Amino acid sequence: MRFKNAEPGEWVIQGLSYHVDDGYCTLRWSWPPGLQAVHIHRAMDDGFGQPAGDPLPGGMRLYTRDEYKANNGYRDRLDGIGQITYTVYALSSDDGEMALIRQSDETNSIRFSTGKARLVYSIREKSRWLQPYKTIEIQVTAEVPVPKEALCYVKKQGAYPVNKEDGILYPFVTDFAAGRNVLPAIEVGKNDYVRLFFTDGRKYGQRYELVYR
């Protein structure tokens, strides 16, 4: 099995749409005349990056036109949180060799969100009498694994920062596991205050909900 680029007159998938209901997604598309089967690839974006290049055909679902008619589409259970992408490849026979057709216009691919994962964080301060410093303990509880690049903490003197530009930004050095993450304590000035923010609100705000508690 190999991939080939779509050429004029080649079978291509158009009109790809989705409908979500009760934890299931139903895909529908327009079948070109004569096409009898497709391969369907599903990719969940967990924020850690996707492998480059074409997916492996063995990791896809072969789906026939008869199955599509019987089920009024392709139905798949949604069992993750985040951005999900479905790609439907037309399956053709070129000189007796099966090939999956790659479409440069990407009309055979659709991407949507299955919901946001909650990231709940808390900050505890400990200070000693007459000491110029205090200890900050940060705890993050995540519904799913989160890459370290998604979050940062910002320190500001005299008041709590209101965004990532409102103070000194510090990156995290390790990824966050699903569940409770207790971070190493940090020492700051007694008049310093800390909050967590997304490093890129547009990008990571689509995947996660950051809650201070």
Side-chain angles (χ1 to χ4, degrees):
M1 186 79 70
R2 64 185 180 88
F3 284 87
K4 62 175 294 187
N5 292 326
E7 299 175 356
E10 201 88 66
W11 281 328
V12 293
I13 301 299
Q14 295 181 327
L16 181 60
S17 64
Y18 75 94
H19 175 72
V20 175
D21 181 46
D22 196 26
Y24 285 85
C25 171
T26 300
L27 300 179
R28 295 187 178 92
W29 60 89
S30 297
W31 290 73
L35 179 62
Q36 297 302 315
V38 298
H39 271 66
I40 301 173
H41 180 255
R42 162 181 162 158
M44 178 65 76
D45 184 357
D46 58 6
F48 289 88
Q50 300 296 319
D54 294 318
L56 297 175
M60 302 188 206
R61 168 75 188 277
L62 174 66
Y63 204 64
T64 67
R65 193 169 192 143
D66 289 340
E67 288 178 294
Y68 183 94
K69 289 180 179 178
N71 298 312
N72 191 27
Y74 172 74
R75 195 165 186 255
D76 189 37
R77 181 175 181 83
L78 299 176
D79 53 6
I81 299 176
Q83 298 286 315
I84 191 169
T85 301
Y86 286 97
T87 306
V88 181
Y89 294 96
L91 179 62
S92 72
S93 177
D94 189 4
D95 295 330
E97 183 182 2
M98 303 305 293
L100 299 177
I101 298 176
R102 187 192 300 114
Q103 298 180 212
S104 60
D105 60 7
E106 298 185 347
T107 57
N108 63 327
S109 185
I110 197 164
R111 178 183 175 92
F112 58 92
S113 175
T114 63
K116 294 183 180 182
R118 283 172 60 88
L119 309 179
V120 180
Y121 79 96
S122 61
I123 296 177
R124 300 288 181 266
E125 299 182 358
K126 295 181 180 180
S127 59
R128 294 182 179 179
W129 182 250
L130 298 180
Q131 291 293 319
Y133 300 101
K134 62 184 176 182
T135 301
I136 298 290
E137 295 180 352
I138 300 174
Q139 178 177 304
V140 178
T141 302
E143 289 187 318
V144 297
V146 179
K148 60 181 180 294
E149 295 82 9
L151 296 175
C152 62
Y153 71 89
V154 176
K155 182 181 72 173
K156 180 180 179 180
Q157 190 174 46
Y160 287 105
V162 296
N163 55 52
K164 69 175 185 176
E165 287 81 23
D166 189 27
I168 303 174
L169 184 151
Y170 296 89
F172 289 106
V173 297
T174 58
D175 297 329
F176 300 88
R180 183 169 171 263
N181 298 262
V182 179
L183 307 183
I186 57 175
E187 196 172 70
V188 301
K190 212 158 192 176
N191 200 33
D192 289 337
Y193 297 88
V194 171
R195 282 288 185 269
L196 267 63
F197 299 96
F198 291 125
T199 56
D200 186 331
R202 173 176 292 184
K203 177 179 180 180
Y204 295 109
Q206 295 179 349
R207 301 184 185 129
Y208 314 111
E209 179 187 4
L210 186 60
V211 179
Y212 174 68
R213 187 172 288 173

